[in-house]
Amino acid sequence: MLDLKIIPNVVSLGEIMGRFSPAGTSRIVQVDKMDISYGGAEANYAVSLATLGINASFVSRLPENQLGYAARNALRRFGVNVDDIVWGGNRLGLYFLEHGSSQLPSSVTYDRANSAIAHASPDDFDWDLIFVNKDWFHFTGITPALSDTAANVVLAACKAAHAKKIKISCDLNYRNGLWSKEKAGKVMSELMQYVYLLIANEEDAEDVFGIHPANSDVNRGQLNHDDYADVANQLVDMFGFAKVAITLRTSISASNNNWSGMLYDGKDHHFGIDYDITPIVDRVGGGDSLGAALTYALLNDYDSKSAIDFAITASALKHSLPGDFNHATLSQIQKVLNSGGTGRVQR
């Protein structure tokens, strides 16, 4: 377990956005006011790790205005180191979230074109300095999708981390609104040579790399463990990853999902706890919280089965919390693991 005298240092690179959302399950056309908060895949990952006690740093480029300051402060509030954020550009990316319920799915509308990070260049970041005494680097497939220059920033970061023998994780996070499958496959394939841990779902693996579980249909609630083991094997054969994690979500409705995952450690396929998440409060950031908790577990030498169980449990708790960020603490996650996930009152 964690030696409190030697706390790992993790860096994530990406975009933090302003998030606007109507209260409850209202649609945007129904309201004249919305709540604002902040989030984004890599920022969510950093907050989750900081909450678990890891020294987490977030690297990005933000506009030097009130929105940029507010986004930075949202991270600082939860213990994330923001010293390596650079300032420049004209705008903060935004997104608008309508929460789903029952058969009405959640919906996200992005307004992030020409955001500050999309116009970043490799020269904006001193990776030799940023990676001093760091143990882990994380990115997702979202940042390189923002622009060619953002993709070059990610590539430069991966090369610098790899040169320093820092372990690298990537969540594929394919977004078809940002780029084509063909371009995603080309750009992400170049980055994969540096990745130690790949995190994906079955749709990402198919969309980006053309890998598909032959006998499973997530839209019909059919999940075949053998198929997902085969997907992980194909990914390792293709790129040589040390570990592959695949999230397994069965969507019964917008309010009710089954949530689990698998970790392939190069020898065995470890399937984790399967949670029935009902009702879902907010599923945004669920995969990011799983990736962060898995990173925590691997940095602290959990065995593979314990690592994936811990990660799934942390992510299940995220589904019960509003906002992008997971505020579940280490003790809360461990209590749920010990209680079997019953949700009994804790006194």
Side-chain angles (χ1 to χ4, degrees), residues 23 27 41 65 69 79 102-103 106 149 171 195 198 245 258 296 302 310 325 345:
R27 304 293 95 177
N65 59 31
Y69 300 150
S102 190
Q103 276 63 56
S106 295
T149 57
D171 190 332
V195 172
L198 181 74
N258 291 330
Y296 174 92
Y302 285 39
F310 179 84
F325 299 157
V345 174

Side-chain angles (χ1 to χ4, degrees), residues 89-201:
N90 296 317
R91 70 179 303 248
L92 183 78
L94 307 175
Y95 85 94
F96 298 80
L97 171 67
E98 297 174 317
H99 290 288
S101 179
S102 190
Q103 276 63 56
L104 183 65
S106 295
S107 175
V108 171
T109 301
Y110 288 110
D111 177 21
R112 66 198 305 180
N114 297 310
S115 63
I117 186 67
H119 290 281
S121 73
D123 292 338
D124 288 329
F125 304 96
D126 185 344
W127 293 110
D128 285 337
L129 183 61
I130 291 170
F131 284 140
V132 170
N133 296 323
K134 299 302 191 295
D135 303 291
W136 195 283
F137 171 63
H138 179 77
F139 71 99
T140 80
I142 297 174
T143 304
L146 296 176
S147 67
D148 290 342
T149 57
N152 289 335
V153 169
V154 176
L155 180 59
C158 286
K159 288 180 176 179
H162 182 73
K164 291 181 177 293
K165 302 187 185 306
I166 295 170
K167 289 180 178 177
I168 300 173
S169 59
C170 172
D171 190 332
L172 274 183
N173 265 347
Y174 176 71
R175 298 290 186 268
N176 61 12
L178 294 176
W179 57 357
S180 68
K181 295 176 182 179
E182 291 74 20
K183 186 165 186 179
K186 180 180 178 181
V187 173
M188 295 304 292
S189 292
E190 184 177 9
L191 296 169
M192 291 302 98
Q193 62 184 301
Y194 304 105
V195 172
Y196 171 83
L197 166 67
L198 181 74
I199 304 163
N201 61 34

